[in-house]
């Protein structure tokens, strides 16, 4: 079993290395055994996880996440993509949101927001999923979307112009920060010119898009 699955910890969470040459069912069994032995160490922890060594389907990822959660009680905040272009984005989100949770200043929403869904928050919020067309997010603090933004978002509700909005891809139907609303056409054009994860901020009474990382 030890050769099938290896757990490696880091400052952002843990890396689960898996043998690529055996059926997935054997990997799942090895994960159960490995995490049962380490349950006391991980119990009630909050962290991110990355899967390495083999390519998993979305269903297999869900199975492993559920297995780890049920076995240890650990709360997996997000899966760290092995794409180097996204790595800094995920790490930044994990560090920021873990800090906010400890200070009770932020919250998570796990899942994609679909048409007609509305999510409101009294504090900063991190959405682990997409905001699809027709969905709406309103926050008094910052909004961080670990996914694609196509719906409507309002950060810094009640005139907080210092708030910001982050997304891996940004083509919102409506975007507001504080009392300022971005012109949809300008945001769409800027989004095409900015590669990778994007951050929307207020500067001089107007909302601009910038790359989140260099």
């Amino acid at each position: 079993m030890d050769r099938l699955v290896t757990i490696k910890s880091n400052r952002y969470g843990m890396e689960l290395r898996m043998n690529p040459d055996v059926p997935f069912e054997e990997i799942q069994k090895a994960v159960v055994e490995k995490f049962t032995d380490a349950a006391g160490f991980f119990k009630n922890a909050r962290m991110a996880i990355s899967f390495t060594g083999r390519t998993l389907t979305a269903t297999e990822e869900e199975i492993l996440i559920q297995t780890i959660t049920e076995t240890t009680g650990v709360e997996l905040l997000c899966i760290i993509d092995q794409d180097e272009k996204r790595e800094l984005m995920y790490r930044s989100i994990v560090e920021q949101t873990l800090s906010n949770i400890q200070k009770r200043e932020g919250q998570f929403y796990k899942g994609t927001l679909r048409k007609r869904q509305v999510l409101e928050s009294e504090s900063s919020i991190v959405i682990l999923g997409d905001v699809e067309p027709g969905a709406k997010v309103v926050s008094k603090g910052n909004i961080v979307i670990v996914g694609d933004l196509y719906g409507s978002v309002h950060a810094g509700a009640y005139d907080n112009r210092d708030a910001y909005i982050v997304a891996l891809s940004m083509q919102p139907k409506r975007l507001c920060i504080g009392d300022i609303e971005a012109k949809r056409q300008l945001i769409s054009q800027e989004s095409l010119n900015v590669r990778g994860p994007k951050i929307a901020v207020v500067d001089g009474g107007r909302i601009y898009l910038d790359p989140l990382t260099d």
Side-chain angles (χ1 to χ4, degrees):
M1 288 295 184
D2 288 341
R3 296 180 181 179
L4 298 183
V5 173
T6 303
I7 303 172
K8 181 180 178 181
S9 63
N10 55 52
R11 61 181 300 190
Y12 306 104
M14 70 175 119
E15 175 186 343
L16 189 66
R17 295 181 179 177
M18 300 163 290
N19 187 307
D21 302 319
V22 299
F24 175 75
E25 290 73 18
E26 291 189 34
I27 293 295
Q28 185 182 5
K29 291 178 182 178
V31 167
V32 171
E33 181 174 316
K34 181 73 71 172
F35 280 92
T36 297
D37 293 340
F41 177 78
F42 288 111
K43 188 175 182 180
N44 298 325
R46 290 189 176 104
M47 62 181 66
I49 188 170
S50 61
F51 297 119
T52 62
R54 64 188 288 153
T55 301
L56 299 174
T57 66
T59 299
E60 289 172 342
E61 285 186 351
E62 288 295 328
I63 290 173
L64 291 184
I65 289 172
Q66 184 177 357
T67 299
I68 294 169
T69 300
E70 292 178 350
T71 303
T72 64
V74 66
E75 182 178 355
L76 297 177
L77 303 178
C78 64
I79 300 173
I80 298 178
D81 197 321
Q82 294 304 301
D83 185 338
E84 292 183 0
K85 294 181 180 179
R86 293 189 171 194
E87 185 177 6
L88 290 178
M89 167 67 171
Y90 285 115
R91 290 185 175 184
S92 174
I93 289 170
V94 171
E95 286 185 324
Q96 169 198 314
T97 50
L98 282 175
S99 175
N100 285 343
I101 283 178
Q102 290 169 356
K103 297 175 183 177
R104 298 185 179 180
E105 295 175 354
Q107 68 179 86
F108 281 93
Y109 177 87
K110 298 179 182 180
T112 290
L113 289 170
R114 307 190 187 282
K115 187 176 181 180
R116 296 190 181 90
Q117 285 188 285
V118 177
L119 178 62
E120 297 183 357
S121 175
E122 293 290 318
S123 60
S124 296
I125 187 165
V126 175
I127 299 169
L128 305 179
D130 299 333
V131 178
E132 295 185 347
K136 182 179 179 181
V137 182
V138 179
S139 169
K140 288 185 178 181
N142 308 313
I143 298 173
V144 178
I145 301 167
V146 188
D148 299 332
L149 168 58
Y150 296 105
S152 300
V153 287
H154 188 174
Y158 304 102
D159 301 337
N160 176 14
R161 291 188 179 186
D162 292 327
Y164 58 81
I165 298 167
V166 169
L168 298 185
S169 176
M170 197 176 292
Q171 288 288 335
K173 180 178 180 181
R174 183 171 182 263
L175 189 149
C176 300
I177 298 177
D179 59 342
I180 300 176
E181 180 174 353
K183 293 184 178 180
R184 183 179 179 184
Q185 195 170 22
L186 290 177
I187 289 294
S188 296
Q189 184 59 46
E190 287 185 5
S191 185
L192 293 175
N193 296 331
V194 177
R195 295 183 178 181
K198 303 167 180 65
I199 181 169
V201 296
V202 173
D203 185 8
R206 187 193 146 189
I207 295 176
Y208 292 87
L209 283 189
D210 290 313
L212 185 66
T213 58
D214 296 329

